[in-house]
Amino acid sequence: YVAGGHYPDPYASDKPLFTIDASGVEKYKANLTPGQMAMLKKYPTWKMSVYPTRRSATFPKADLDDAVANATRAKLSPGGNGVTGTTAGVPFPIPKDGLEAIWNSTLRYKGDTYAMTWSQAAVTREGAYTPVRFEYEYDFSYGNLSKSAKDREPNKLTNFLQTVTAPARLAGQILLIHETVDQLKEPRSAWTYNPGQRRVRLAPNVAYDNPGTASDGLRTNDDFGMFNGATDRYNWKLVGKQELYVPYNSYKLSGNQLKLADVLKPGHINPDHARYELHRVWVVEATLKEGTSHIYKKRTFYIDEDSWMIMVTDKYD
């Protein structure tokens, strides 16, 4: 790996073991989510190529040591909307409920400070789209191994800067977020810069089910990273573990050998470039609390046992 470049694919020579299409839903349903089965049935052109399982997730030793220590020191804050007793590491290595599992995903180690470029596209049914390109910068406080525990900001997860670089009509828009751990105790702070108005404004609506930046309403703010932000609008249930075919080691999709036109197709991405593997996941169900609102009445999260990344989400209106 060369800093500033793409990650080299260590599994480029792997061949698919088999492919699942609509005709194989019944055969493989024990290892598919309801959403995956619905996709296979709805789109005759969709398929899932299953590759050998590679347990490639890895973390720095200091992060793993913190996770071990957290087993006896980390606790959910009152109401379950934050974590106390730790400033680094997976807080609940042996989760007892859905909230602990989702906090493990939110607070997993993602690096200390880094920048990246990103593309987003809302594809029409006919396959047309206008790419929206971003620059992201992250500066983590929780779990930042370059800082000692006393130097990490209390209740701070990360500072996040998003800059739109294309298309021209959106270029120059900036979003700055100070993300906290307990967002009921201290809500996230957000500001936007509009180049047309040349003004910086507070952005309290950057949360929950408000539309994400330039997403044409197809992504909510708390869809970013599969889930982020406050947990207070849902009841969280830990269903247990399951073996599923999930996206994993998708170096081809995130590399620089494909063009957007190679990937983005009507209805779904080009299945020829996607990679699925059989992995154990934690299954967490989130159901909307009475008296609250969200466009998703229910969400099921499938969280990788090794990395604590959310691999798949099924969402219900």
Side-chain angles (χ1 to χ4, degrees):
Y1 171 69
V2 178
H6 290 78
Y7 290 109
D9 184 356
Y11 313 120
S13 61
D14 283 356
K15 304 297 182 186
L17 301 175
F18 55 90
T19 298
I20 306 171
D21 58 19
S23 65
V25 169
E26 285 302 310
K27 179 179 179 180
Y28 295 106
K29 67 180 182 180
N31 303 113
L32 296 170
T33 78
Q36 289 174 329
M37 289 188 280
M39 278 283 293
L40 288 163
K41 291 176 180 177
K42 180 171 183 175
Y43 298 105
T45 49
W46 179 245
K47 61 183 179 180
M48 297 167 60
S49 296
V50 178
Y51 287 76
T53 298
R54 305 287 192 176
R55 297 184 69 177
S56 53
T58 183
F59 295 90
K61 183 179 184 302
D63 179 76
L64 297 175
D65 290 343
D66 276 315
V68 172
N70 286 344
T72 57
R73 70 185 182 188
K75 292 181 172 57
L76 289 173
S77 59
N81 296 300
V83 175
T84 62
T86 182
T87 61
V90 169
F92 307 107
I94 310 171
K96 299 183 294 295
D97 57 42
L99 262 175
E100 290 188 349
I102 205 71
W103 276 114
N104 283 348
S105 178
T106 299
L107 299 180
R108 73 188 188 278
Y109 182 75
K110 308 180 187 75
D112 295 337
T113 300
Y114 64 90
M116 64 191 298
T117 57
W118 194 264
S119 296
Q120 171 180 291
V123 183
T124 68
R125 293 187 182 189
E126 291 73 32
Y129 58 88
T130 299
V132 182
R133 301 187 187 275
F134 300 90
E135 291 178 355
Y136 292 162
E137 295 181 42
Y138 290 88
D139 178 25
F140 286 91
S141 183
Y142 185 96
N144 191 318
L145 299 179
S146 68
K147 300 176 182 178
S148 64
K150 65 181 178 60
D151 291 329
R152 296 171 190 149
E153 293 181 66
N155 198 36
K156 173 63 73 65
L157 174 55
T158 184
N159 298 321
F160 170 67
L161 184 69
Q162 175 196 80
T163 304
V164 181
T165 59
R169 61 184 172 84
L170 299 176
Q173 290 186 20
I174 297 173
L175 172 66
L176 173 65
I177 293 178
H178 289 186
E179 186 82 344
T180 56
V181 177
D182 187 338
Q183 297 202 5
L184 288 190
K185 175 183 176 183
E186 185 183 0
R188 77 162 46 129
S189 299
W191 300 263
T192 57
Y193 173 73
N194 185 306
Q197 298 174 335
R198 298 192 298 278
R199 293 287 187 273
V200 175
R201 301 184 184 278
L202 284 170
N205 61 331
V206 180
Y208 299 112
D209 57 352
N210 287 295
T213 303
S215 65
D216 286 6
L218 297 181
R219 173 177 64 78
T220 66
N221 278 297
D222 63 6
D223 275 329
F224 190 77
M226 304 296 269
F227 182 79
N228 74 91
T231 59
D232 59 312
R233 293 194 180 182
Y234 288 95
N235 293 309
W236 301 84
K237 176 184 177 183
L238 185 63
V239 178
K241 284 189 182 181
Q242 187 177 353
E243 286 192 340
L244 289 178
Y245 298 120
V246 295
Y248 220 96
N249 294 310
S250 302
Y251 289 92
K252 188 184 293 185
L253 281 174
S254 8
N256 60 350
Q257 301 303 306
L258 298 174
K259 298 183 182 301
L260 290 181
D262 298 325
V263 177
L264 301 176
K265 303 297 179 183
H268 52 73
I269 63 169
N270 187 339
D272 293 336
H273 305 309
R275 176 182 175 124
Y276 287 82
E277 299 180 11
L278 186 66
H279 284 263
R280 277 193 302 272
V281 296
W282 294 91
V283 182
V284 175
E285 281 187 0
T287 52
L288 192 63
K289 290 180 178 177
E290 286 190 20
T292 63
S293 64
H294 200 291
I295 64 171
Y296 305 139
K297 184 177 181 180
K298 174 185 172 183
R299 306 161 92 159
T300 307
F301 299 95
Y302 304 91
I303 307 172
D304 178 34
E305 177 187 67
D306 290 344
S307 67
W308 289 103
M309 288 181 66
I310 300 170
M311 312 307 296
V312 177
T313 308
D314 285 344
K315 293 174 285 191
Y316 302 81
D317 62 17

